[in-house]
Amino acid sequence: MGNKRPCPIVAAILAALAGTQAYPSDFRAVVPNSPAGRSFGLSDNGQVIVGDRPSPAPGAREAFRWTPTYGLEWLPFPVSQASDWLGCLARAVNATGSKIFMACQTGVHHVVNWPIDDVKPFVYETGGFTEWPRLHDQSYPQDSTPDGTVVVGYDYEESPAFMQYWRRGVRWQNGNISDLGRLDAGDCGYGADEDSFMVAVSDDGSVIAGVSGELGDYFRPVVSISGTLYKLEDTRPCGPDDSSLVAGISGNGAYVVGHYINSDHDPNYPVYWTISTRAMTILPLFVPGDIHGKAYCTNRDGSLIGGSSGSRGVIWERLSAPPRSSSNRCCKPPGWLPK
């Protein structure tokens, strides 16, 4: 998602995952009557929201755009969908809201008798689609620079021989794709990582944040700086389900936010990383009784971090210790936006 956009607004949308209270008058539905609708991208001025929901037509999901002027608009499919196809996902938008970055299924191919979905990256602009290249079977954009010239995400390859799949973090620059790689053999003792994906990019496109690891085992937080991959500090980097997950990056490329998961999944700790030192800082939970916390986004200079603590939406001021509640308004189901 565009996670260095105005962070309190993004936090209000994402921290909605934590609660189920009745909706106050200062929230309104972006995707009404669709509890599985999800908002992922937000333009810089907060006037364009993109996401997707389960599709009533052929194709599992359909993408949408929401603006105050036109309300909810369902985006078309680049090709007609079969009933068991993915449909389209919209996960990123540029600063002005004029370019929406999507992944859409366009077909199925077979390796021997193994069916493999073809999912291609697209830019939707001025009512039309531009197809971008992919490395293997599927590609999924996740975030973009404000001008839309650099987009990051992951490429997905299925292996019928091994009955499994691999992801690779990728970057599109002016529509050209490159593989950002995975960590080599390191402190986990498993050899080189086999799985990676990228979720966030700085405003100038030079710093890209994501994870690298072993699917179903562990993930380690990483940043790609000018094409070179570096590991960020990780408290518990190895062992089943010990993972650090990255969610956002500051616009200036100085800070990354996310959370780490203990092997028993309890608790989850919100964290941020200072990229210049690779050091991780654990953020305090709102009250001692909270056992789950996640950091979802940060603003352009990294001074504010939005996320959740227990069932509350919270905003951390990075240079001061305690988080402050972003009020009950920030704890609503997905698809609700403050007026």
Side-chain angles (χ1 to χ4, degrees):
M1 80 169 325
N3 35 59
K4 56 273 176 192
R5 310 296 192 235
C7 192
I9 298 176
V10 181
I13 296 171
L14 291 179
L17 295 169
T20 56
Q21 299 96 322
Y23 316 127
S25 59
D26 56 350
F27 280 74
R28 59 180 180 269
V30 172
V31 188
N33 303 317
S34 183
R38 298 176 292 182
S39 301
F40 287 97
L42 178 68
S43 63
D44 270 13
N45 59 10
Q47 297 297 293
V48 180
I49 297 172
V50 301
D52 46 77
R53 70 153 191 182
S55 173
R61 298 194 71 85
E62 61 181 336
F64 68 80
R65 170 176 55 200
W66 184 92
T67 63
T69 302
Y70 298 104
L72 182 66
E73 301 173 85
W74 299 111
L75 302 180
F77 297 111
V79 300
S80 297
Q81 296 289 296
S83 60
D84 58 346
W85 286 13
L86 170 69
C88 283
L89 310 177
R91 300 296 164 89
V93 63
N94 69 342
T96 63
S98 61
K99 296 181 179 180
I100 300 172
F101 303 98
M102 303 168 62
C104 302
Q105 185 164 354
T106 59
V108 177
H109 70 275
H110 290 77
V111 176
V112 190
N113 293 320
W114 185 282
I116 296 176
D117 293 341
D118 291 307
V119 178
K120 298 179 180 180
F122 290 92
V123 183
Y124 183 75
E125 185 179 15
T126 61
F129 287 93
T130 300
E131 181 183 325
W132 276 4
R134 54 185 173 154
L135 296 179
H136 297 96
D137 304 314
Q138 303 175 18
S139 282
Y140 297 87
Q142 299 292 299
D143 191 25
S144 76
T145 55
D147 62 7
T149 59
V150 177
V151 176
V152 300
Y154 62 92
D155 194 80
Y156 176 107
E157 179 185 11
E158 289 196 52
S159 173
F162 294 98
M163 298 186 68
Q164 65 185 70
Y165 65 86
W166 294 274
R167 288 173 295 189
R168 293 170 172 81
V170 296
R171 172 186 61 213
W172 291 270
Q173 185 158 7
N174 297 316
N176 298 309
I177 192 171
S178 57
D179 187 340
L180 294 176
R182 292 159 287 184
L183 290 178
D184 294 329
D187 51 10
C188 287
Y190 292 107
D193 289 345
E194 294 184 349
D195 199 44
S196 70
F197 56 91
M198 299 297 166
V199 299
V201 60
S202 62
D203 282 357
D204 66 1
S206 65
V207 183
I208 299 168
V211 297
S212 176
E214 299 287 339
L215 186 67
D217 196 354
Y218 68 90
F219 282 113
R220 299 179 282 184
V222 297
V223 290
S224 175
I225 302 176
S226 300
T228 301
L229 201 62
Y230 299 93
K231 178 181 174 294
L232 300 174
E233 180 187 2
D234 202 352
T235 300
R236 299 182 64 178
C238 306
D241 297 322
D242 285 335
S243 297
S244 290
L245 299 179
V246 169
I249 192 171
S250 59
N252 61 6
Y255 300 96
V256 169
V257 301
H259 70 281
Y260 81 83
I261 308 169
N262 285 345
S263 57
D264 57 3
H265 298 279
D266 194 8
N268 301 337
Y269 288 108
V271 300
Y272 74 85
W273 291 269
T274 303
I275 294 178
S276 61
T277 63
R278 316 284 192 265
M280 181 179 75
T281 301
I282 299 176
L283 294 164
L285 296 172
F286 189 72
V287 295
D290 290 345
I291 60 172
H292 295 285
K294 296 181 180 181
Y296 291 111
C297 63
T298 183
N299 60 350
R300 296 198 184 281
D301 65 4
S303 60
L304 296 176
I305 299 172
S308 63
S309 177
S311 61
R312 303 166 183 83
V314 296
I315 296 173
W316 290 274
E317 296 179 14
R318 185 175 49 81
L319 298 180
S320 63
R324 56 186 170 89
S325 172
S326 52
S327 86
N328 287 337
R329 298 189 312 174
C330 298
C331 300
K332 303 303 163 195
W336 292 78
L337 176 74
K339 291 180 179 176

